[in-house]
Amino acid sequence: DGGITQSPKYLFRKEGQNVTLSCEQNLNHDAMYWYRQDPGQGLRLIYYSQIVNDFQKGDIAEGYSVSREKKESFPLTVTSAQKNPTAFYLCASSSVTTNYGYTFGSGTRLTVV
Amino acid sequence: AQSVSQHNHHVILSEAASLELGCNYSYGGTVNLFWYVQYPGQHLQLLLKYFSGDPLVKGIKGFEAEFIKSKFSFNLRKPSVQWSDTAEYFCAVNGHQAGTALIFGKGTTLSVSS
């Protein structure tokens, strides 16, 4: 079945370490997105990519980096510059031929101690 | 700036009560509108969506929403809620241009008592 795989489901890191969250999709979707979900804040857009080798900053890109070397993959790195990295991270994808076929992954809960 | 405003942070209802959750958006151009639901411990699920045509859209589980362009609103309604509707509800908007990112509201937590 087609879908988005985020791994791992839970991730623990020490403060000051960079950490990379994986997002893979087999839906042949062109666009991929990273959101951060915090209680009472909804989902806030971190980065998105509409095509391979191109990506744009979202509303809260500071302290994060991404790459889009393959259509299927859009990893997110949470750097040590991110002041409050503990959160739930959601990856999504959509087709650029239709703008409503969003698919969300199951998320990664990152805890920085 | 593009934004979505959800009026209520937390709504508490008894079973069989009617529900209306407010959503207003600020977004240039033609929009697509969405309501998502997140049940406790579960993934985001799409409740309903509006792209064009009839401004009254019906979704899953008896939910509906009405797009009022003049008010930049997309309120979610359900005539009679059930305990199982307890969840967090998110309104979202994006542009008609393919590949534009969804902008979400902060969410409304609905608690339904039996």
Side-chain angles (χ1 to χ4, degrees):
Chain A
D1 288 337
I4 294 183
T5 301
Q6 288 188 245
S7 60
K9 189 172 182 178
Y10 299 96
L11 192 54
F12 295 86
R13 279 295 182 268
K14 290 185 178 179
E15 192 172 345
Q17 290 181 335
N18 292 356
V19 59
T20 297
L21 280 59
S22 169
C23 178
E24 303 278 333
Q25 55 100 357
N26 60 3
L27 300 163
N28 200 33
H29 282 171
D30 296 289
M32 297 186 74
Y33 314 85
W34 274 106
Y35 290 90
R36 170 179 170 145
Q37 185 176 9
D38 297 282
Q41 295 294 319
L43 280 77
R44 292 180 290 171
L45 182 66
I46 304 173
Y47 269 98
Y48 65 104
S49 167
Q50 295 175 315
I51 195 169
V52 174
N53 292 323
D54 189 38
F55 47 83
Q56 289 79 40
K57 292 182 178 180
D59 298 322
I60 56 166
E62 185 175 350
Y64 299 98
S65 66
V66 293
S67 63
R68 187 85 187 278
E69 296 176 2
K70 299 186 301 181
K71 188 176 185 177
E72 302 79 19
S73 178
F74 192 41
L76 173 74
T77 297
V78 184
T79 75
S80 56
Q82 168 50 232
K83 295 179 181 178
N84 187 19
T86 294
F88 187 63
Y89 292 88
L90 274 170
C91 180
S93 69
S94 70
S95 168
V96 292
T97 55
T98 62
N99 209 25
Y100 34 84
Y102 282 83
T103 301
F104 284 87
S106 57
T108 293
R109 184 164 298 280
L110 173 65
T111 302
V112 176
V113 296
Chain B
Q2 301 164 349
S3 65
V4 175
S5 175
Q6 293 185 237
H7 309 158
N8 312 100
H9 178 62
H10 193 182
V11 172
I12 301 172
L13 295 173
S14 299
E15 274 194 316
S18 64
L19 170 71
E20 180 160 4
L21 301 183
C23 173
N24 286 89
Y25 67 91
S26 172
Y27 201 100
T30 308
V31 297
N32 304 315
L33 293 154
F34 306 78
W35 275 98
Y36 284 87
V37 61
Q38 190 172 36
Y39 297 102
Q42 295 189 25
H43 309 164
L44 274 177
Q45 296 179 36
L46 180 64
L47 267 182
L48 47 79
K49 56 186 182 286
Y50 170 82
F51 303 113
S52 63
D54 189 344
L56 183 63
V57 293
K58 295 190 183 298
I60 61 172
K61 305 187 181 188
F63 286 91
E64 66 178 31
E66 185 176 12
F67 171 49
I68 302 180
K69 189 175 181 180
S70 61
K71 295 185 178 180
F72 301 93
S73 70
F74 191 56
N75 292 354
L76 181 71
R77 299 194 292 249
K78 186 172 184 179
S80 176
V81 296
Q82 301 172 313
W83 177 81
S84 58
D85 293 325
T86 295
E88 190 160 18
Y89 293 80
F90 296 97
C91 182
V93 64
N94 71 356
H96 264 208
Q97 182 180 358
T100 57
L102 279 173
I103 305 298
F104 285 85
K106 292 186 176 182
T108 297
T109 299
L110 172 64
S111 299
V112 180
S113 59
S114 57

